[in-house]
Amino acid sequence: MSEIFTPVSGTQIYDQRPALVLDTNTVLALWMFRDPALEKLRDWIEAGNCRLYSREDALEELRRVLAYRQFGLDLPCQEAIHCHYRSLLTPWAGPRGPSATDESACLPRCSDTDDQKFLEIAFEAEATHLLTRDKALLKLQRPVASRMRCSIMQPDSFKNGFHRHQNA
């Protein structure tokens, strides 16, 4: 099982900030391409207005994608983006309990098996939102919403409503 980032201490403090999971393409749009349409969302995330979750396998995928030749990023730039994103993550220790792995097996199946990990992370972290532009993940909006309290949506859509979360 991959390492997951979550609260390390045994005491849970109720945190009303939204809990987000970002797929790899959303991370790229925010911090590599610096999509101007997502500037306010990026600033909002960097200001600590949400809890951001990932897992080692997703972080390794990000590392691999940042190294793609077509992006033309040198190693220091790749590492800077990867380290910056990692620094924004909420510390995380593991699934909610012994049955969490069994329960995650009941999640809807993504037609792109590489993206299944983002559903698992959202489930395990009890995320409120999974932000993606991936059509395979977006098709799972209804099944996911019926099984867990998580909305799958495009980052562009979330940014239009994140102001309501700012003072949460």
Side-chain angles (χ1 to χ4, degrees):
M1 184 81 175
S2 300
E3 176 185 357
I4 298 175
F5 297 89
T6 189
V8 183
S9 72
T11 58
Q12 289 282 352
I13 298 172
Y14 186 66
D15 189 337
Q16 294 183 357
R17 295 176 300 160
L20 306 183
V21 172
L22 311 178
D23 74 347
T24 301
N25 288 324
T26 301
V27 174
L28 295 177
L30 287 163
W31 288 285
M32 187 183 81
F33 295 115
R34 300 195 64 82
D35 183 340
L38 300 178
E39 181 179 0
K40 288 182 181 179
L41 175 60
R42 182 176 49 253
D43 292 345
W44 181 81
I45 291 171
E46 289 179 347
N49 291 304
C50 65
R51 293 170 287 141
L52 193 59
Y53 295 98
S54 191
R55 199 168 68 183
E56 281 301 327
D57 53 348
L59 292 168
E60 184 55 36
E61 176 181 280
L62 175 62
R63 184 183 306 282
R64 281 192 320 272
V65 172
L66 286 168
Y68 285 177
R69 176 176 283 157
Q70 65 262 33
F71 295 143
L73 299 175
D74 61 19
L75 188 57
C77 187
Q78 294 170 35
E79 290 175 353
I81 294 168
H82 191 270
C83 288
H84 178 69
Y85 175 63
R86 194 175 183 118
S87 75
L88 297 171
L89 297 174
T90 301
W92 184 254
R96 297 174 294 181
S99 65
T101 304
D102 294 337
E103 291 174 25
S104 69
C106 297
L107 290 172
R109 293 284 135 207
C110 185
S111 61
D112 182 346
T113 56
D114 286 339
D115 289 332
Q116 189 68 29
K117 67 180 152 290
F118 298 108
L119 292 174
E120 294 169 0
I121 297 164
F123 173 78
E124 292 167 1
E126 298 180 345
T128 57
H129 299 86
L130 168 55
L131 302 186
T132 183
R133 289 177 174 162
D134 185 277
K135 288 179 172 57
L137 284 168
L138 289 167
K139 285 181 183 177
L140 296 174
Q141 289 171 320
R142 285 188 184 170
V144 166
S146 71
R147 293 185 187 177
M148 45 196 270
R149 294 180 353 178
C150 181
S151 298
I152 298 177
M153 63 177 47
Q154 294 191 25
D156 316 69
S157 299
F158 181 79
K159 79 169 182 68
N160 292 330
F162 71 79
H163 296 290
R164 71 187 146 169
H165 298 293
Q166 282 187 305
N167 297 322

